[in-house]
Amino acid sequence: MTPPRSEGFVRMPDAEFEAILTRAAEEGAKRALADVGLDGDEAALDIRDLRSLVDCIRLVRRTAMQTAVRMITTGVMLALLAGIAIKFKIFGGSP
């Protein structure tokens, strides 16, 4: 039995359309995962490992930024202290 046609469009019940759409989405997702090598029994473990790796990269990036800011801040503070020491001749400058 072919579905009724009206002005070039196919008409079907909403439930049947949803079922077809769901099946197509599932097949597309399976194909996409297979294309990138994330299919099979180990796929869930692989995805957890990838998420863990991404979390570690974010942590390293955040720590590197914090370290860079601390080093720059320490350098500026040391330069200011050295300038103050020279200004007040704390280390026995010339008379």
Side-chain angles (χ1 to χ4, degrees):
M1 175 177 169
T2 61
R5 291 182 172 263
S6 163
E7 299 176 18
F9 295 103
V10 176
R11 302 237 181 232
M12 66 177 62
D14 287 343
E16 185 179 346
F17 177 72
E18 290 292 328
I20 291 172
L21 191 61
T22 301
R23 189 171 61 229
E26 287 174 0
E27 290 298 319
K30 287 178 184 176
R31 185 177 303 144
L33 288 172
D35 287 347
V36 295
L38 290 174
D39 57 341
D41 297 334
E42 300 290 321
L45 182 60
D46 291 342
I47 290 173
R48 276 190 225 106
D49 288 345
L50 287 171
R51 285 183 178 170
S52 176
L53 180 62
V54 169
D55 287 340
C56 289
I57 290 171
R58 288 180 182 145
L59 176 65
V60 167
R61 187 181 305 144
R62 185 171 49 244
T63 304
M65 288 298 293
Q66 289 173 351
T67 302
V69 168
R70 285 181 184 158
M71 288 178 67
I72 291 169
T73 303
T74 302
V76 169
M77 294 299 288
L78 286 174
L80 287 172
L81 286 174
I84 291 170
I86 291 171
K87 181 73 173 173
F88 292 123
K89 299 179 185 175
I90 293 176
F91 296 114
S94 61

